[in-house]
Amino acid sequence: MPTEHHPADADQAVPELGLDMIEGQPVTGSLGRILPEATLARLTQYLRALNAMQARGDEQTSSGVLAAEAGVNPAILRKDLSLLGSYGTRGVGYVVMELTEHISKAMGLLRQWRVAIIGAGNLGRALSGYGGFRSRGFEIVALLDSAPEVVGTVVGDLQVQDIADMDEILASAEVNIAVLSVPGGAAQDLCNKLVERGVRSILSFAPVVLQVPTGVNLRKVDLATELQILAYHAQNLDT
Ligand SMILES: NC(=O)c1ccc[n+]([C@@H]2O[C@H](COP(=O)([O-])OP(=O)(O)OC[C@H]3O[C@@H](n4cnc5c(N)ncnc54)[C@H](O)[C@@H]3O)[C@@H](O)[C@H]2O)c1
């Protein structure tokens, strides 16, 4: 079992953690390496578990407890945290607040991200009405649509704006992340326009493959794919 050091000790042992999050660029670890996608996904699980610990007043935790609450193997957790230059202390473990801040900093979550949702249909309206983004550092600052009957309607504290005014809206609202919740046929054109206007982080729900140039981060959410994978596993359980 690897020795664990307190994060405060780690700061002394590793004076320059080298954590950096450049807008639109992948997160890099203590050695300046890009963190693996799987590690990034697990870091969000650690944060969720740490937030739950904070909510119930736990001040310290161990890699074993954190791993169990995050649903991850403890050895993998220690390896992930070592990529951030973060170490606990054997017998003491991690200070919950410090580790939360450490992971949040590495992931670029100590700043507020300004999100525009393009497409104010069923999905766009549901997303913009969800209160859980703001507390995690993502503020929905604009909701845009092209349909005349949708533009001007109100969702929560946002009024749907006309996509024709996208340029001014992106600039004035200082948008740095865009969410595409439009039909597949409209997605690539909108994606191109967003990139042309300097948006370098795009999350798409559209059921199409989108092309973006180097330097733009595109992520896709596809519940249908997840369901199909579940169906495959369910079928194997039945046989
Ligand atoms: N990835 C997933 O898991 C998932 C789940 C549900 C829906 N979807 C996809 O998300 C998208 C939205 O689904 P929905 O149910 O909200 O559809 P919807 O028809 O209710 O809403 C789409 C909205 O996009 C607007 N729109 C169309 N073209 C536009 C353009 N060029 N500019 C701006 N707005 C435009 C429409 O006016 C409409 O309000 C669809 O592509 C759907 O397939 C994905």
Side-chain angles (χ1 to χ4, degrees):
M1 177 175 161
T3 306
E4 293 183 346
H5 305 281
H6 190 279
D9 299 332
D11 284 348
Q12 286 161 11
V14 188
E16 175 51 68
L17 292 175
L19 299 173
D20 197 10
M21 175 72 194
I22 304 164
E23 185 186 326
Q25 299 297 316
V27 179
T28 56
S30 60
L31 303 175
R33 281 180 307 196
I34 291 171
L35 295 177
E37 290 275 319
T39 296
L40 285 173
R42 286 191 296 267
L43 289 177
T44 66
Q45 290 168 245
Y46 306 149
L47 274 183
R48 204 168 299 150
L50 287 163
N51 287 338
M53 289 177 188
Q54 274 186 51
R56 61 174 188 253
D58 295 356
E59 290 181 3
Q60 295 193 326
T61 189
S62 65
S63 52
V65 171
L66 179 55
E69 295 202 13
V72 169
N73 179 304
I76 291 177
L77 174 134
R78 283 191 293 270
K79 183 155 184 271
D80 287 339
L81 296 185
S82 74
L83 291 175
L84 301 185
S86 171
Y87 307 91
T89 304
R90 188 191 286 275
V92 176
Y94 301 100
V95 176
V96 170
M97 289 275 282
E98 286 179 13
L99 188 57
T100 303
E101 194 171 312
H102 195 65
I103 296 174
S104 300
K105 183 180 174 200
M107 296 197 69
L109 299 177
L110 290 182
R111 57 170 289 183
Q112 197 75 11
W113 294 92
R114 298 174 67 77
V115 180
I117 295 179
I118 319 282
N122 294 312
L123 186 59
R125 296 172 95 84
L127 291 172
S128 69
Y130 174 57
F133 295 130
R134 182 171 290 177
S135 61
R136 290 180 172 83
F138 300 92
E139 189 173 358
I140 314 290
V141 292
L143 182 55
L144 293 87
D145 204 284
S146 60
E149 66 276 18
V150 176
V151 173
T153 57
V154 174
V155 184
D157 50 10
L158 281 178
Q159 187 166 39
V160 180
Q161 295 174 279
D162 195 338
I163 195 73
D165 301 326
M166 181 166 86
D167 287 9
E168 302 89 84
I169 295 163
L170 291 178
S172 63
E174 297 176 30
V175 169
N176 37 36
I177 295 180
V179 174
L180 285 175
S181 47
V182 292
Q188 184 66 62
D189 181 50
L190 284 165
C191 186
N192 295 346
K193 287 183 174 143
L194 287 165
V195 172
E196 278 167 27
R197 273 79 176 166
V199 177
R200 293 191 293 157
S201 302
I202 300 170
L203 176 65
S204 174
F205 286 87
V208 288
V209 175
L210 296 176
Q211 307 295 334
V212 291
T214 312
V216 175
N217 286 314
L218 171 75
R219 293 195 63 86
K220 193 171 174 231
V221 180
D222 191 343
L223 291 183
T225 298
E226 298 296 330
L227 288 171
Q228 283 165 338
I229 293 169
L230 264 186
Y232 169 79
H233 289 302
Q235 170 186 267
N236 285 353
L237 283 179
D238 290 344
T239 54

